[in-house]
Amino acid sequence: MTKLITNRMILRNFQLSDAPSVYQYAKNPHVGPIAGWPVHTSIENSRYYIESYFISPHIFAITLRANPEEVIGLVGLELVDEGNGKPFMKPGEAEISYWLGEPFWGQGLMPEAIQAVVNYGFEKCQLQSIWCGYKDGNNQSKRAQEKQGFKYDHTVEHMYNPVLDEYIIEHFTKLTRVQ
């Protein structure tokens, strides 16, 4: 199990036993849809998403150091070299994804978590670039990306999200490894 430690958090790989705490925050309609997935309807539903999407070597459960058993969010990388990413992404690149439970918004936790995963991506995964997208109107996500040095690259006017079966306007930012 990989662990990334920040000043306030422990980022670790997901486990199926995380379903109750994931459900606690993922049932909130302000969290999932803006991040690109539906509101969780039960602990079993959260377990399904953990098993189907969250359990991955480069996806991390966000926990506070004071309570490492309670998952309050997710941050992680989808590597192009492992068959993930969007069509415009190249080998040696990845997309970072994240969400955070609403009670923890506005505390600077997400920029701290993003920085830890960016470091992991560049140092451990030897990535050349990391992409990040945000749904049109999600200014909190835009600010979190800007705080970590991500620069606007382009907008896709009709980005299909198969999880929600919808088309959205998605803006993409990019951070390139400094050589």
mmCIF file of all heavy atoms in Angstrom, residues 1 3 23 34 50 54 63 77 80 88-89 94 96 99 114 142 145 148-149 151 153 155 158 161 163 175:
data_model
loop_
_atom_site.group_PDB
_atom_site.id
_atom_site.type_symbol
_atom_site.label_atom_id
_atom_site.label_comp_id
_atom_site.label_asym_id
_atom_site.label_seq_id
_atom_site.Cartn_x
_atom_site.Cartn_y
_atom_site.Cartn_z
ATOM 1 N N MET A 1 0.850 -1.183 0.000
ATOM 2 C CA MET A 1 0.000 0.000 0.000
ATOM 3 C C MET A 1 0.890 1.240 0.000
ATOM 4 O O MET A 1 1.764 1.372 0.833
ATOM 5 C CB MET A 1 -0.928 0.000 1.214
ATOM 6 C CG MET A 1 -1.826 1.219 1.260
ATOM 7 S SD MET A 1 -2.962 1.273 2.652
ATOM 8 C CE MET A 1 -4.227 0.187 2.067
ATOM 9 N N LYS A 3 1.625 5.138 0.620
ATOM 10 C CA LYS A 3 1.160 6.239 1.465
ATOM 11 C C LYS A 3 1.963 7.486 1.128
ATOM 12 O O LYS A 3 3.186 7.429 0.998
ATOM 13 C CB LYS A 3 1.353 5.923 2.950
ATOM 14 C CG LYS A 3 0.373 4.954 3.513
ATOM 15 C CD LYS A 3 0.558 4.817 5.014
ATOM 16 C CE LYS A 3 -0.405 3.787 5.564
ATOM 17 N NZ LYS A 3 -0.232 3.608 7.001
ATOM 18 N N TYR A 23 -19.259 6.965 1.636
ATOM 19 C CA TYR A 23 -20.690 7.253 1.501
ATOM 20 C C TYR A 23 -21.084 8.501 2.286
ATOM 21 O O TYR A 23 -21.889 9.313 1.808
ATOM 22 C CB TYR A 23 -21.515 6.051 1.954
ATOM 23 C CG TYR A 23 -22.996 6.330 1.941
ATOM 24 C CD1 TYR A 23 -23.654 6.616 0.751
ATOM 25 C CD2 TYR A 23 -23.729 6.346 3.122
ATOM 26 C CE1 TYR A 23 -25.021 6.890 0.739
ATOM 27 C CE2 TYR A 23 -25.090 6.614 3.113
ATOM 28 C CZ TYR A 23 -25.727 6.892 1.924
ATOM 29 O OH TYR A 23 -27.067 7.180 1.906
ATOM 30 N N ILE A 34 -20.393 17.500 -9.617
ATOM 31 C CA ILE A 34 -19.411 18.485 -10.093
ATOM 32 C C ILE A 34 -18.072 17.805 -10.396
ATOM 33 O O ILE A 34 -17.285 18.279 -11.205
ATOM 34 C CB ILE A 34 -19.266 19.663 -9.095
ATOM 35 C CG1 ILE A 34 -18.592 20.871 -9.772
ATOM 36 C CG2 ILE A 34 -18.489 19.265 -7.856
ATOM 37 C CD1 ILE A 34 -19.484 21.638 -10.678
ATOM 38 N N ILE A 50 -15.742 2.215 -5.168
ATOM 39 C CA ILE A 50 -14.385 1.935 -4.683
ATOM 40 C C ILE A 50 -13.795 0.771 -5.472
ATOM 41 O O ILE A 50 -12.675 0.866 -5.991
ATOM 42 C CB ILE A 50 -14.393 1.633 -3.167
ATOM 43 C CG1 ILE A 50 -14.723 2.902 -2.373
ATOM 44 C CG2 ILE A 50 -13.039 1.057 -2.723
ATOM 45 C CD1 ILE A 50 -15.034 2.653 -0.900
ATOM 46 N N PHE A 54 -11.979 3.325 -7.705
ATOM 47 C CA PHE A 54 -11.043 3.951 -6.760
ATOM 48 C C PHE A 54 -9.861 3.068 -6.393
ATOM 49 O O PHE A 54 -8.807 3.579 -6.019
ATOM 50 C CB PHE A 54 -11.752 4.374 -5.469
ATOM 51 C CG PHE A 54 -12.874 5.368 -5.633
ATOM 52 C CD1 PHE A 54 -13.684 5.672 -4.554
ATOM 53 C CD2 PHE A 54 -13.136 6.007 -6.828
ATOM 54 C CE1 PHE A 54 -14.726 6.590 -4.668
ATOM 55 C CE2 PHE A 54 -14.178 6.924 -6.967
ATOM 56 C CZ PHE A 54 -14.973 7.209 -5.872
ATOM 57 N N THR A 63 -7.166 11.193 3.855
ATOM 58 C CA THR A 63 -7.516 11.092 5.270
ATOM 59 C C THR A 63 -6.731 12.157 6.029
ATOM 60 O O THR A 63 -5.641 12.549 5.608
ATOM 61 C CB THR A 63 -7.182 9.702 5.855
ATOM 62 O OG1 THR A 63 -5.761 9.535 5.924
ATOM 63 C CG2 THR A 63 -7.789 8.582 5.023
ATOM 64 N N LEU A 77 -4.046 9.743 -9.869
ATOM 65 C CA LEU A 77 -3.593 9.871 -11.250
ATOM 66 C C LEU A 77 -4.125 8.725 -12.098
ATOM 67 O O LEU A 77 -4.128 7.568 -11.665
ATOM 68 C CB LEU A 77 -2.065 9.835 -11.310
ATOM 69 C CG LEU A 77 -1.335 10.992 -10.647
ATOM 70 C CD1 LEU A 77 0.150 10.680 -10.530
ATOM 71 C CD2 LEU A 77 -1.554 12.275 -11.427
ATOM 72 N N VAL A 80 -1.736 7.566 -18.796
ATOM 73 C CA VAL A 80 -1.960 7.214 -20.199
ATOM 74 C C VAL A 80 -1.286 5.883 -20.501
ATOM 75 O O VAL A 80 -1.848 5.033 -21.199
ATOM 76 C CB VAL A 80 -1.446 8.334 -21.130
ATOM 77 C CG1 VAL A 80 -1.491 7.896 -22.592
ATOM 78 C CG2 VAL A 80 -2.243 9.619 -20.924
ATOM 79 N N PHE A 88 -6.451 13.342 -26.271
ATOM 80 C CA PHE A 88 -5.394 14.303 -26.586
ATOM 81 C C PHE A 88 -4.143 14.114 -25.719
ATOM 82 O O PHE A 88 -3.130 14.764 -25.942
ATOM 83 C CB PHE A 88 -5.905 15.751 -26.465
ATOM 84 C CG PHE A 88 -6.482 16.083 -25.122
ATOM 85 C CD1 PHE A 88 -5.670 16.463 -24.059
ATOM 86 C CD2 PHE A 88 -7.855 16.019 -24.920
ATOM 87 C CE1 PHE A 88 -6.205 16.757 -22.826
ATOM 88 C CE2 PHE A 88 -8.403 16.330 -23.682
ATOM 89 C CZ PHE A 88 -7.581 16.695 -22.633
ATOM 90 N N MET A 89 -4.194 13.233 -24.750
ATOM 91 C CA MET A 89 -3.055 13.003 -23.866
ATOM 92 C C MET A 89 -2.105 11.982 -24.490
ATOM 93 O O MET A 89 -2.518 11.105 -25.234
ATOM 94 C CB MET A 89 -3.542 12.532 -22.498
ATOM 95 C CG MET A 89 -4.378 13.577 -21.800
ATOM 96 S SD MET A 89 -5.061 12.960 -20.247
ATOM 97 C CE MET A 89 -6.175 14.304 -19.838
ATOM 98 N N ALA A 94 -0.449 11.955 -17.549
ATOM 99 C CA ALA A 94 -1.554 11.429 -16.741
ATOM 100 C C ALA A 94 -2.540 12.548 -16.483
ATOM 101 O O ALA A 94 -2.233 13.728 -16.679
ATOM 102 C CB ALA A 94 -1.036 10.874 -15.415
ATOM 103 N N ILE A 96 -4.963 14.055 -13.394
ATOM 104 C CA ILE A 96 -5.217 14.016 -11.958
ATOM 105 C C ILE A 96 -6.711 14.250 -11.728
ATOM 106 O O ILE A 96 -7.329 15.063 -12.405
ATOM 107 C CB ILE A 96 -4.345 15.061 -11.211
ATOM 108 C CG1 ILE A 96 -4.373 14.816 -9.697
ATOM 109 C CG2 ILE A 96 -4.731 16.477 -11.549
ATOM 110 C CD1 ILE A 96 -3.319 15.609 -8.942
ATOM 111 N N TRP A 99 -11.736 14.787 -5.440
ATOM 112 C CA TRP A 99 -12.962 15.299 -4.826
ATOM 113 C C TRP A 99 -12.720 15.345 -3.328
ATOM 114 O O TRP A 99 -11.852 14.649 -2.803
ATOM 115 C CB TRP A 99 -14.190 14.476 -5.193
ATOM 116 C CG TRP A 99 -14.226 13.056 -4.712
ATOM 117 C CD1 TRP A 99 -13.831 11.948 -5.410
ATOM 118 C CD2 TRP A 99 -14.681 12.586 -3.431
ATOM 119 N NE1 TRP A 99 -14.023 10.826 -4.650
ATOM 120 C CE2 TRP A 99 -14.544 11.184 -3.423
ATOM 121 C CE3 TRP A 99 -15.195 13.207 -2.297
ATOM 122 C CZ2 TRP A 99 -14.893 10.394 -2.337
ATOM 123 C CZ3 TRP A 99 -15.546 12.418 -1.201
ATOM 124 C CH2 TRP A 99 -15.391 11.029 -1.236
ATOM 125 N N ILE A 114 -3.127 17.757 -3.875
ATOM 126 C CA ILE A 114 -2.713 17.801 -5.284
ATOM 127 C C ILE A 114 -1.196 17.888 -5.373
ATOM 128 O O ILE A 114 -0.576 17.176 -6.164
ATOM 129 C CB ILE A 114 -3.389 18.975 -6.024
ATOM 130 C CG1 ILE A 114 -4.884 18.702 -6.198
ATOM 131 C CG2 ILE A 114 -2.725 19.212 -7.386
ATOM 132 C CD1 ILE A 114 -5.673 19.905 -6.712
ATOM 133 N N LYS A 142 -10.949 25.064 -10.283
ATOM 134 C CA LYS A 142 -10.057 25.897 -11.082
ATOM 135 C C LYS A 142 -9.002 26.542 -10.183
ATOM 136 O O LYS A 142 -7.797 26.507 -10.488
ATOM 137 C CB LYS A 142 -10.867 26.975 -11.811
ATOM 138 C CG LYS A 142 -10.032 27.947 -12.600
ATOM 139 C CD LYS A 142 -10.895 29.043 -13.219
ATOM 140 C CE LYS A 142 -10.040 30.044 -13.947
ATOM 141 N NZ LYS A 142 -10.806 31.189 -14.414
ATOM 142 N N GLN A 145 -6.333 24.106 -8.890
ATOM 143 C CA GLN A 145 -5.344 23.793 -9.930
ATOM 144 C C GLN A 145 -4.359 24.951 -10.106
ATOM 145 O O GLN A 145 -3.148 24.732 -10.189
ATOM 146 C CB GLN A 145 -6.056 23.485 -11.242
ATOM 147 C CG GLN A 145 -6.861 22.209 -11.183
ATOM 148 C CD GLN A 145 -7.762 22.011 -12.380
ATOM 149 O OE1 GLN A 145 -7.428 22.389 -13.495
ATOM 150 N NE2 GLN A 145 -8.919 21.408 -12.155
ATOM 151 N N GLN A 148 -1.513 25.264 -7.655
ATOM 152 C CA GLN A 148 -0.417 24.313 -7.814
ATOM 153 C C GLN A 148 0.362 24.516 -9.112
ATOM 154 O O GLN A 148 1.199 23.698 -9.471
ATOM 155 C CB GLN A 148 -0.954 22.883 -7.727
ATOM 156 C CG GLN A 148 -1.552 22.573 -6.379
ATOM 157 C CD GLN A 148 -0.660 23.002 -5.230
ATOM 158 O OE1 GLN A 148 0.528 22.707 -5.209
ATOM 159 N NE2 GLN A 148 -1.211 23.734 -4.281
ATOM 160 N N GLY A 149 0.097 25.611 -9.808
ATOM 161 C CA GLY A 149 0.868 25.942 -11.000
ATOM 162 C C GLY A 149 0.328 25.392 -12.304
ATOM 163 O O GLY A 149 0.975 25.549 -13.345
ATOM 164 N N LYS A 151 -1.551 25.396 -15.670
ATOM 165 C CA LYS A 151 -1.861 26.482 -16.601
ATOM 166 C C LYS A 151 -2.935 26.031 -17.582
ATOM 167 O O LYS A 151 -2.903 24.900 -18.090
ATOM 168 C CB LYS A 151 -0.611 26.891 -17.393
ATOM 169 C CG LYS A 151 0.560 27.325 -16.522
ATOM 170 C CD LYS A 151 0.297 28.639 -15.855
ATOM 171 C CE LYS A 151 1.526 29.085 -15.065
ATOM 172 N NZ LYS A 151 1.194 29.882 -13.930
ATOM 173 N N ASP A 153 -4.874 25.158 -20.750
ATOM 174 C CA ASP A 153 -4.409 24.683 -22.047
ATOM 175 C C ASP A 153 -5.510 24.782 -23.108
ATOM 176 O O ASP A 153 -5.288 25.346 -24.160
ATOM 177 C CB ASP A 153 -3.912 23.236 -21.948
ATOM 178 C CG ASP A 153 -3.242 22.767 -23.217
ATOM 179 O OD1 ASP A 153 -2.047 23.048 -23.385
ATOM 180 O OD2 ASP A 153 -3.927 22.132 -24.062
ATOM 181 N N THR A 155 -10.151 24.098 -23.931
ATOM 182 C CA THR A 155 -11.510 23.747 -23.503
ATOM 183 C C THR A 155 -12.100 22.777 -24.515
ATOM 184 O O THR A 155 -11.931 22.953 -25.727
ATOM 185 C CB THR A 155 -12.399 25.013 -23.417
ATOM 186 O OG1 THR A 155 -11.857 25.871 -22.402
ATOM 187 C CG2 THR A 155 -13.843 24.670 -23.076
ATOM 188 N N HIS A 158 -17.737 19.764 -25.858
ATOM 189 C CA HIS A 158 -18.666 18.634 -25.760
ATOM 190 C C HIS A 158 -17.916 17.396 -25.259
ATOM 191 O O HIS A 158 -17.783 16.409 -25.985
ATOM 192 C CB HIS A 158 -19.332 18.341 -27.114
ATOM 193 C CG HIS A 158 -20.152 19.473 -27.624
ATOM 194 N ND1 HIS A 158 -21.374 19.800 -27.082
ATOM 195 C CD2 HIS A 158 -19.925 20.370 -28.604
ATOM 196 C CE1 HIS A 158 -21.860 20.847 -27.718
ATOM 197 N NE2 HIS A 158 -21.013 21.212 -28.643
ATOM 198 N N ASN A 161 -19.097 12.366 -20.640
ATOM 199 C CA ASN A 161 -18.847 11.699 -19.371
ATOM 200 C C ASN A 161 -19.721 10.440 -19.355
ATOM 201 O O ASN A 161 -20.929 10.523 -19.156
ATOM 202 C CB ASN A 161 -19.194 12.609 -18.192
ATOM 203 C CG ASN A 161 -19.021 11.921 -16.859
ATOM 204 O OD1 ASN A 161 -18.959 10.702 -16.759
ATOM 205 N ND2 ASN A 161 -18.940 12.708 -15.809
ATOM 206 N N VAL A 163 -19.919 8.061 -17.153
ATOM 207 C CA VAL A 163 -20.460 7.711 -15.836
ATOM 208 C C VAL A 163 -21.810 8.388 -15.608
ATOM 209 O O VAL A 163 -22.746 7.785 -15.083
ATOM 210 C CB VAL A 163 -19.453 8.067 -14.715
ATOM 211 C CG1 VAL A 163 -20.018 7.762 -13.341
ATOM 212 C CG2 VAL A 163 -18.140 7.322 -14.918
ATOM 213 N N LEU A 175 0.354 20.782 -16.200
ATOM 214 C CA LEU A 175 1.591 21.083 -15.486
ATOM 215 C C LEU A 175 2.669 20.199 -16.096
ATOM 216 O O LEU A 175 2.506 18.974 -16.165
ATOM 217 C CB LEU A 175 1.425 20.795 -13.998
ATOM 218 C CG LEU A 175 2.556 21.186 -13.069
ATOM 219 C CD1 LEU A 175 2.775 22.705 -13.082
ATOM 220 C CD2 LEU A 175 2.255 20.727 -11.638
#
